[in-house]
Amino acid sequence: MAPDTSSAPGASSSTPQPPDEKPSAPPVNILPSLIPRIYSIAHPALLLALGATRFEAVVADPTKELLSTLPWLTLVQIFYVIICLPPAGSIPSTETSAPAPADGKSSPRSSGPGVAVRHGKHGKRKQHANSWTCIWSRLLPALLSLSVTFALATPVLTILLVLFGAPLTTHNSETVLCAVHLAVLSATALAYTHGLDRVVWNEVWGISRPADAVWGSALGTGLGAWFGAIPIPLDWDRPWQAFPITILVGAYIGYAVGSLLGRTPLVYGKRVKFTAEEVCETEKKTN
């Protein structure tokens, strides 16, 4: 009689196992050094100052002013992501030197007068090459994220603006420029830190990302633009009520508030929960 191997340890199951769902990306941390932490706080204030100083010019000629300030906004956002945020796929490390050997003895290859001479001769050249490598490793993802912002985020936001009431047959330049500003504010940092991760972008559209400075600024931009549209149909007869001035004012304010609020201990890492079922599903995924 043949032995029964169905219950033997190590026997492979014939039933295929479903693939595990890809875990959600964790919240994004500001880089730990001093300069990124300082600039990450000054950055929202810089954007608000840029919007405040150019507000009268935007009211006078929205199309011309939005077009002329777009390069400055782009440079400020690119500088922010390069200085303050880790690029997609990277793990920021706080280690600045290699660990010492466990036995406490220095390696013969890492000590001695000959090594000192070699370090003095080639150290500056190697450090210079490493600095350029570090800059390029951040600049390339920043340029790619900017390309994603203009190629993908801008058309999507343009369509959303029209669906939510922007003029379809008139004010086309204002609509497109408004969408570009909203895209640069909200999508540049998301694309830089997460790339084209499908899970992350599903969470973005589902408003279910864990709170951090990147997601907080993107969500704040959207909510600010939403509330900024309220004064447009009111009969106040003010020149600043013209489309899309108040939408952009609300977006800039929302960006600043969301960026700072997303870093606070009370909000950081939290998710927006709508129903009890979603709370249970989120707990199962995290556990």
Side-chain angles (χ1 to χ4, degrees):
M1 183 176 180
D4 184 9
T5 60
S6 59
S7 60
S12 60
S13 174
S14 59
T15 304
Q17 297 294 331
D20 295 336
E21 184 177 355
K22 183 180 178 181
S24 172
V28 177
N29 290 313
I30 301 296
L31 294 177
S33 56
L34 182 61
I35 293 178
R37 291 186 176 275
I38 292 177
Y39 184 73
S40 64
I41 297 175
H43 176 71
L46 180 62
L47 286 179
L48 290 179
L50 176 64
T53 54
R54 306 307 302 171
F55 179 74
E56 293 184 359
V58 172
V59 174
D61 191 345
T63 301
K64 179 181 178 181
E65 189 60 28
L66 291 179
L67 189 60
S68 62
T69 56
L70 181 59
W72 296 105
L73 173 63
T74 303
L75 288 175
V76 169
Q77 287 296 92
I78 290 296
F79 185 76
Y80 166 68
V81 299
I82 290 176
I83 295 297
C84 300
L85 301 177
S90 69
I91 300 177
S93 175
T94 57
E95 296 181 358
T96 56
S97 60
D103 57 0
K105 299 179 181 180
S106 60
S107 172
R109 295 185 179 181
S110 60
S111 60
V115 174
V117 172
R118 288 197 300 270
H119 285 176
K121 185 177 181 180
H122 303 290
K124 292 184 179 180
R125 182 182 302 175
K126 184 176 180 181
Q127 184 177 5
H128 184 70
N130 289 338
S131 63
W132 277 110
T133 302
C134 181
I135 293 174
W136 179 249
S137 67
R138 295 178 181 276
L139 182 59
L140 181 59
L143 295 177
L144 292 175
S145 66
L146 191 63
S147 300
V148 171
T149 298
F150 284 117
L152 299 179
T154 298
V156 171
L157 290 176
T158 301
I159 294 173
L160 288 177
L161 285 174
V162 173
L163 292 177
F164 281 104
L168 179 60
T169 58
T170 61
H171 298 79
N172 293 327
S173 58
E174 289 89 341
T175 301
V176 173
L177 287 172
C178 178
V180 174
H181 277 249
L182 295 178
V184 173
L185 285 173
S186 60
T188 304
L190 281 172
Y192 180 81
T193 54
H194 300 296
L196 298 178
D197 190 336
R198 181 178 59 85
V199 174
V200 172
W201 288 100
N202 286 340
E203 291 177 340
V204 169
W205 290 112
I207 317 181
S208 59
R209 279 291 302 157
D212 53 32
V214 175
W215 171 232
S217 60
L219 183 59
T221 300
L223 292 177
W226 176 278
F227 287 107
I230 294 176
I232 294 178
L234 301 179
D235 297 332
W236 293 347
D237 295 330
R238 298 291 190 272
W240 51 264
Q241 287 181 260
F243 173 82
I245 298 171
T246 57
I247 294 177
L248 288 171
V249 171
Y252 274 77
I253 295 175
Y255 178 94
V257 173
S259 177
L260 297 176
L261 190 62
R263 299 175 57 187
T264 59
L266 293 177
V267 178
Y268 178 82
K270 302 294 191 303
R271 296 175 185 266
V272 178
K273 299 179 179 65
F274 298 98
T275 63
E277 294 180 357
E278 292 182 1
V279 174
C280 295
E281 291 179 0
T282 303
E283 291 179 351
K284 290 179 181 179
K285 291 180 180 180
T286 54
N287 295 331

